[in-house]
């Protein structure tokens, strides 16, 4: 089956993803992504990038995350839970501000992230 990844490999990816972000080494983070990866987040348009909230390609992700990191000098993620399917992993964590976030990471056959989305809690009025 194409795109099938063992749960242990997905857990290892989630663990490395958290560690890469906590290192604040953007190039380390980007090694986990394909060159043509896609990222969606409400934060993309909030920081003045694509109004659609989606970016494609490592160069655009590098520019976005470089800017985002300037606003988060104490960025730190703490893993809460990892959820796996054969071709993806969802990483539930809380950040240094105590906010919960769930990142959905879909992988290619080689185990690199090809599609990602930052998912934030929905608060009902």
């Amino acid at each position: 089956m194409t795109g099938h990844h063992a749960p242990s490999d997905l857990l290892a990816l989630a663990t490395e993803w958290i560690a890469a972000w906590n290192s604040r080494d953007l190039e380390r983070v980007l090694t986990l992504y394909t060159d043509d990866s896609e990222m969606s987040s409400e934060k993309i348009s909030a920081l003045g990038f694509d109004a659609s909230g989606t970016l494609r390609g490592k160069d655009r992700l590098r520019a976005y995350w470089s800017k985002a990191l300037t606003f988060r000098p104490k960025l730190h993620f703490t893993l809460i839970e990892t959820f796996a399917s054969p071709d993806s992993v969802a990483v539930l964590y809380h950040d240094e501000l105590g906010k919960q976030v769930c990142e959905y990471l879909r992988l290619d056959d080689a185990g690199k992230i090809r599609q990602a989305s930052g998912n934030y809690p929905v608060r009902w009025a």
Side-chain angles (χ1 to χ4, degrees):
M1 177 191 310
T2 46
H4 188 271
H5 302 281
S8 59
D9 292 338
L10 294 166
L11 181 58
L13 174 70
T15 302
E16 171 56 18
W17 187 87
I18 293 280
W21 277 110
N22 287 345
S23 75
R24 297 184 57 83
D25 180 347
L26 190 49
E27 294 308 312
R28 179 178 173 186
V29 172
L30 286 165
T31 64
L32 302 173
Y33 291 76
T34 63
D35 289 340
D36 61 347
S37 57
E38 178 181 292
M39 174 70 195
S40 296
S41 170
E42 66 185 33
K43 309 294 185 194
I44 289 171
S45 57
L47 286 180
F49 287 83
D50 200 291
S52 72
T54 298
L55 296 175
R56 289 175 186 81
K58 270 190 184 180
D59 289 340
R60 304 240 15 236
L61 291 179
R62 182 181 288 109
Y64 162 61
W65 286 330
S66 291
K67 183 174 182 179
L69 283 171
T70 66
F71 296 106
R72 304 284 293 272
K74 296 183 179 185
L75 178 121
H76 185 83
F77 298 158
T78 303
L79 183 63
I80 298 170
E81 188 67 77
T82 303
F83 303 89
S85 78
D87 70 344
S88 65
V89 61
V91 182
L92 178 65
Y93 63 92
H94 65 78
D95 64 17
E96 76 282 7
L97 304 172
K99 296 181 180 176
Q100 283 192 3
V101 181
C102 185
E103 292 272 343
Y104 168 77
L105 309 171
R106 182 164 293 230
L107 310 180
D108 69 0
D109 291 344
K112 297 278 188 181
I113 301 165
R114 67 179 171 89
Q115 181 183 19
S117 62
N119 299 273
Y120 305 92
V122 176
R123 303 287 183 228
W124 298 99

